[in-house]
Amino acid sequence: MNNYYIGRKIPVNSQGWIMLCDVMGSDHDIAEAARTSYGKSEKDTSKDEHLIRYLMRHGHTSPFEMAELKFMVYVPMDVWRQWVRHRTASINEYSTRYSVAIDQMYEATEWRLQDQNNKQGSDGLLSEEDAEMLSEKEEAFHKAARELYDERIKMGVAREQARKDLPLSTFTQAYWKIDLKNLLNFLRLRCDKHAQKEIRAYADIIFDMIKVLFPLTWRAFVEYQKEAITFSLRDQMAASYLLLNVIYAVLKTELPDKDLSSHKTIMRRLFKFIPDEWKQENCRERDEFLEKADRLIPFPEGYDGFDPVKIMRGQDED
Ligand SMILES: Cc1cc2nc3c(=O)[nH]c(=O)nc-3n(C[C@H](O)[C@H](O)[C@H](O)COP(=O)(O)OP(=O)(O)OC[C@H]3O[C@@H](n4cnc5c(N)ncnc54)[C@H](O)[C@@H]3O)c2cc1C
């Protein structure tokens, strides 16, 4: 099963692909690397999971560097530009100084609209009619860019200069080798919904591979990193305030005759610790906190018109 992926080109985003070339190490090797700390070795692999979970939970990361993976990737330049920002990998890339540029450009299969809240994101799709028109223009542009490139090459222009006007949609191919610790960092950042959809598609495939190749590490990673929520000090204050509000709203509805003045007093005191910018109409940090809080406790609906955004803006005082 561990060799299932090796040598298989897995398609990504219609024209790209990724292939696992080689893997060094296993969950057991990671656990064994950690055991050198106390000069012991353990053949019984049933003891590995407990240790791996401990390592992941406590940020004891170097044992995960003992495993390595080598991939071959075929990606458009704009995706690759984000990919190479991960400096802790080794790369050998197709050279467009040495060779004629790869004659393939990434064609969009959909045209996403600019997200109005997240300046780096997209949200929704362009209408089918507009998308069709843009795809036709894209095709003509790709054709013209390639023809100009080919013409320069034919006229003897050096490949290193002829390539200067090729679009970012041009494909490149590279070996990418990285240790598991830094690969998990790549996955944490690039499987996230804030990462661009195109690179996320590659990261999601690698994520699935890790599940098969390093199942114990994968589980610990999902639990302690990927799906974990970090609470800042501000978040903690706001969480306490929100929780008390939830309790207050529930009690007020369920026990209308109960005296709840002490709950209100505690809430008011906590509210003072919430910074003023969190009470404004637009506040990204507050909205991010509310997203995290919603993952912890989906906000109850119907309890006295309970509205967390209103509460965090200080508009709930009665
Ligand atoms: C959603 C998203 C949006 C982004 N937007 C932008 C942007 O607008 N502009 C932009 O320029 N970049 C942007 N980036 C790239 C980002 O800033 C990082 O460069 C990239 O994600 C690589 O992460 P990394 O440094 O953790 O990984 P790696 O380079 O693989 O490093 C792994 C870890 O090694 C350590 N390390 C590596 N090199 C150094 C060093 N020189 N000094 C100290 N420690 C080091 C750090 O602990 C680091 O976390 C974005 C990334 C994401 C995921």
Side-chain angles (χ1 to χ4, degrees):
M1 190 60 178
N2 278 5
N3 288 333
Y4 170 79
Y5 284 114
I6 293 182
R8 284 175 192 255
K9 278 186 192 173
I10 301 181
V12 194
N13 295 333
S14 73
Q15 291 157 283
W17 51 260
I18 181 164
M19 180 171 75
L20 179 66
C21 304
D22 217 343
V23 185
M24 184 184 82
S26 63
D27 281 328
H28 185 60
D29 294 320
I30 292 164
E32 282 292 275
R35 287 184 187 112
T36 52
S37 298
Y38 39 88
K40 285 207 174 136
S41 176
E42 176 61 68
K43 286 205 176 85
D44 180 0
T45 53
S46 71
K47 301 205 168 132
D48 293 346
E49 180 158 23
H50 186 73
L51 179 55
I52 284 175
R53 290 171 71 84
Y54 176 88
L55 298 173
M56 193 68 79
R57 214 163 52 243
H58 293 272
H60 184 3
T61 52
S62 52
F64 298 103
E65 293 171 27
M66 295 301 146
E68 294 217 318
L69 298 99
K70 185 170 81 177
F71 299 90
M72 172 82 86
V73 295
Y74 185 66
V75 287
M77 291 286 187
D78 62 342
V79 172
W80 187 233
R81 195 159 157 174
Q82 297 181 343
W83 204 309
V84 296
R85 297 302 308 279
H86 296 265
R87 297 155 290 180
T88 44
S90 304
I91 295 170
N92 271 117
E93 187 187 355
Y94 185 92
S95 167
T96 49
R97 293 182 79 196
Y98 198 86
S99 314
V100 172
I102 293 171
D103 189 7
Q104 188 170 24
M105 292 177 200
Y106 177 58
E107 292 151 18
T109 50
E110 61 185 15
W111 294 99
R112 302 191 296 278
L113 291 166
Q114 176 59 47
D115 189 317
Q116 292 311 308
N117 297 318
N118 178 357
K119 289 186 180 141
Q120 280 196 325
S122 51
D123 186 22
L125 296 176
L126 210 62
S127 72
E128 258 181 51
E129 199 180 55
D130 287 349
E132 209 172 297
M133 183 271 290
L134 281 190
S135 291
E136 276 169 24
K137 288 195 169 179
E138 177 195 47
E139 192 185 343
F141 176 70
H142 283 177
K143 194 164 173 277
R146 186 69 201 192
E147 277 172 6
L148 181 61
Y149 174 79
D150 287 341
E151 187 180 4
R152 288 173 185 168
I153 296 287
K154 248 191 216 147
M155 289 173 73
V157 173
R159 286 182 289 270
E160 66 179 14
Q161 198 187 13
R163 66 184 175 176
K164 70 185 258 306
D165 299 309
L166 284 174
L168 279 173
S169 53
T170 309
F171 273 87
T172 187
Q173 184 170 326
Y175 274 115
W176 190 64
K177 182 180 75 79
I178 189 162
D179 66 56
L180 186 57
K181 177 215 156 175
N182 286 297
L183 181 60
L184 294 179
N185 182 50
F186 175 87
L187 296 179
R188 187 178 57 77
L189 295 167
R190 301 300 177 180
C191 290
D192 188 86
K193 65 175 179 167
H194 295 102
Q196 190 177 324
K197 192 176 175 197
E198 282 77 8
I199 194 165
R200 217 160 64 212
Y202 287 88
D204 286 345
I205 289 170
I206 299 175
F207 179 69
D208 289 345
M209 289 180 182
I210 300 303
K211 185 178 183 181
V212 174
L213 298 166
F214 299 91
L216 304 182
T217 301
W218 181 88
R219 258 208 304 276
F221 168 64
V222 170
E223 207 170 312
Y224 297 119
Q225 286 195 22
K226 188 169 177 294
E227 298 303 328
I229 305 174
T230 313
F231 267 38
S232 69
L233 196 53
R234 282 179 179 194
D235 288 347
Q236 292 171 44
M237 298 281 193
S240 305
Y241 179 72
L242 263 191
L243 269 174
L244 273 173
N245 260 299
V246 176
I247 294 167
Y248 181 78
V250 173
L251 288 179
K252 221 166 116 187
T253 314
E254 309 272 317
L255 305 167
D257 300 332
K258 196 171 163 39
D259 176 15
L260 298 172
S261 50
S262 60
H263 286 78
K264 263 286 172 206
T265 313
I266 303 170
M267 277 195 282
R268 287 210 182 89
R269 211 171 290 158
L270 267 173
F271 192 64
K272 286 195 185 125
F273 291 101
I274 296 173
D276 284 343
E277 66 263 29
W278 279 42
K279 298 171 191 167
Q280 321 269 321
E281 185 71 16
N282 294 315
C283 173
R284 186 140 178 211
E285 193 181 2
R286 178 205 56 216
D287 292 345
E288 284 171 4
F289 161 75
L290 288 171
E291 257 181 57
K292 289 190 230 173
D294 196 32
R295 279 174 66 189
L296 284 182
I297 343 157
F299 296 125
E301 276 170 30
Y303 280 110
D304 235 8
F306 181 84
D307 179 346
V309 177
K310 236 176 153 184
I311 288 168
M312 301 303 297
R313 284 188 193 139
Q315 295 165 352
D316 71 318
E317 301 292 306
D318 44 64

